[in-house]
Amino acid sequence: MALLTPEDLEDLLDKLNHNNDIIRKDTGMDIAEICHAIYGTNPGNERVGIIPITAGNGIISTFSASLLAITEYFGMDGFITEHADITGYHEAIKGNADIILMADDHIFIAHNLRNGKIATNHVCTGVVYAEIASQYLHADSKEILVIGMGRVGYAGAEHLVNKGFTVYACDPDRKIMEKAKEELGVIPYNCNGTKKFSMVLEATPNPNTISEGMVAERCLVSTPGIPCGLPEDIGSRDHVDLVMEPLVIGVAAMLYSVL
Ligand code: 2YH
């Protein structure tokens, strides 16, 4: 999984507003309503403790501040601990945090200390981007393509299968595809093929994963992937709507999922 950079986190709320406009136009809901539709929860007056973590590649300069802005955007009360790691954890508990947000290079979690619920960024990101694609008002069928069956794509595909969608999936890893076929019943899709979809969940960290043969005109591509898997020329030629944002949508889903 790619590590976020401070550049990815620049102008986060502008990117959020831009994506919210597209999501509203294409699904009739905004991000908060999408999260509510998935988890059936609404933020109350939870207090979110955000702990910087120094493990691995260390602290990303604007990561905690971005989490605080997201927490507040969705109506919760947040604070960043002064110290990192275990000292920061202790500080968050002493500061009456209801929910803890913290990430190292491998996993990013939300843990609600009151009800015990815990969420990971990769699952929530897969689920919320899948949900956005699945709510596309101009979809021509209940068939949907998932590109990339790593932790994010797999969770998204599972969510879509559970919602009754016919899920086509592709990934270069044959073992993962076998597992997804067996466990989820996804249909393997040949990425060089010509079957076109009006809903695509792209969940890879690679550019240009989407080819012309995959997308129907006026398709919705929903992707947390950085860099973007949709080549610009295909996006504009086929009037593809693109939902792509580096952090907010996944974090919103994490918070709603632990309420
Ligand atoms: O960006 C990441 C990892 N790719 C996991 C996220 C899953 N989408 N982690 C952020 C690391 C933050 C750092 N430890 C900090 O500033 O606290």
Side-chain angles (χ1 to χ4, degrees):
M1 187 180 296
L3 202 61
L4 289 166
T5 65
E7 292 71 46
D8 295 331
L9 302 179
E10 275 169 15
D11 307 319
L12 210 57
L13 293 184
D14 289 346
K15 288 176 192 156
L16 167 65
N17 288 330
H18 169 73
N19 279 279
N20 234 346
D21 287 347
I22 297 171
I23 294 170
R24 246 187 243 111
K25 173 171 80 71
D26 284 349
T27 71
M29 289 182 268
D30 65 14
I31 293 167
E33 289 166 326
I34 292 271
C35 290
H36 176 78
I38 303 169
Y39 302 108
T41 54
N42 282 313
N45 46 8
E46 288 79 11
R47 194 163 154 74
V48 180
I50 298 156
I51 307 169
I53 298 294
T54 61
N57 285 296
I59 288 172
I60 299 171
S61 60
T62 49
F63 186 71
S64 292
S66 301
L67 297 185
L68 181 60
I70 297 167
T71 298
E72 289 173 348
Y73 181 91
F74 288 97
M76 287 175 238
D77 179 25
F79 65 100
I80 302 170
T81 57
E82 197 182 316
H83 299 93
D85 306 330
I86 311 295
T87 311
Y89 189 86
H90 184 253
E91 197 185 322
I93 306 294
K94 290 288 171 201
N96 282 326
D98 301 305
I99 296 172
I100 298 287
L101 279 181
M102 58 185 174
D104 63 15
D105 296 349
H106 181 66
I107 198 159
F108 173 16
I109 61 165
H111 187 194
N112 187 325
L113 302 171
R114 308 295 171 220
N115 62 18
K117 290 188 192 174
I118 188 158
T120 61
N121 180 262
H122 52 273
V123 169
C124 291
T125 297
V127 168
V128 72
Y129 277 87
E131 180 70 20
I132 291 166
S134 77
Q135 293 282 354
Y136 188 33
L137 295 170
H138 307 293
D140 56 14
S141 73
K142 284 200 83 174
E143 294 183 338
I144 187 161
L145 174 62
V146 180
I147 305 170
M149 291 297 280
R151 297 193 298 177
V152 175
Y154 204 93
E158 185 169 23
H159 180 68
L160 295 166
V161 168
N162 291 340
K163 281 186 65 134
F165 282 77
T166 303
V167 179
Y168 288 74
C170 58
D171 192 289
D173 185 327
R174 280 197 192 168
K175 270 195 185 157
I176 287 182
M177 283 306 300
E178 278 308 313
K179 184 169 176 275
K181 239 177 15 175
E182 236 170 71
E183 289 181 359
L184 306 181
V186 303
I187 304 167
Y189 176 73
N190 176 354
C191 281
N192 305 318
T194 51
K195 184 173 171 52
K196 290 178 187 275
F197 294 84
S198 59
M199 296 170 286
V200 174
L201 167 62
E202 200 276 353
T204 81
N206 306 317
N208 305 329
T209 52
I210 297 178
S211 61
E212 205 180 335
M214 295 176 181
V215 288
E217 185 138 351
R218 295 193 71 203
C219 162
L220 173 60
V221 172
S222 181
T223 177
I226 303 174
C228 181
L230 178 70
E232 255 178 53
D233 58 330
I234 297 179
S236 49
R237 191 177 46 231
D238 293 330
H239 309 289
V240 174
D241 275 353
L242 177 66
V243 173
M244 186 189 84
E245 186 282 325
L247 190 67
V248 180
I249 296 177
V251 173
M254 292 170 76
L255 290 170
Y256 274 75
S257 83
V258 298
L259 294 174

